[in-house]
Amino acid sequence: MSSLQFKDYFLNEISYRRNPNFDQTNSTINLEPELSAQILIKKSENIAYVNLSTKQGNINLEDSAFEIIVDIVGKFSFIHDEKEFDIDFETFLKENGLAILWSYIRPMVSDMITRGNEFPNFILPVVNVKKMLDENDSIMVTYE
């Protein structure tokens, strides 16, 4: 059976910036989410690095209380069994690799909002990350 194996992850960036211009009379907080992904596939080694970045909020907007950035990189390997169904490494990474990394980003964002100690806790929803990125043409794949 073909399989994708998640080896490890590391953070390129994690930050929380409070917006000093936030209008406290707003009853809702605009998170204005942004997502982007880069995938580097080292085909000869069956290894890939998936970089998923999100920015939640924007300190340049009065209805955005904060700006959170999480930039995470996951290392994945691929075992292909030709007797099984044919799913290529790139497809596995786009569909499953991004979802795995999103599951790490969600609690990090929630934790930063809670630690900011000013706004109610917020949990990012479970979403189809690949679909969101595809809609904005925000997945870049390169091969080595």
Side-chain angles (χ1 to χ4, degrees), residues 62-142:
E62 285 186 6
D63 63 345
S64 186
F66 47 78
E67 179 178 278
I68 293 175
I69 297 172
V70 179
D71 185 351
I72 189 171
V73 176
K75 180 180 179 181
F76 296 86
S77 66
F78 181 67
I79 299 170
H80 181 65
D81 184 348
E82 293 186 18
K83 293 178 250 163
E84 294 290 324
F85 56 93
D86 189 26
I87 296 179
D88 66 0
F89 195 13
E90 185 176 321
T91 301
F92 255 133
L93 292 167
K94 285 181 177 179
E95 293 179 0
N96 298 347
L98 291 169
I100 289 168
L101 293 178
W102 184 250
S103 71
Y104 283 88
I105 286 175
R106 290 179 65 233
M108 287 179 199
V109 168
S110 180
D111 186 55
M112 284 190 286
I113 292 170
T114 300
R115 290 179 187 275
N117 204 32
E118 188 173 5
F119 305 103
N121 189 15
F122 177 77
I123 298 173
L124 291 174
V126 175
V127 295
N128 184 336
V129 178
K130 179 193 177 294
K131 182 179 177 186
M132 288 177 61
L133 288 163
D134 281 343
E135 288 172 356
N136 296 316
D137 196 27
S138 298
I139 302 176
M140 184 173 70
V141 180
T142 54

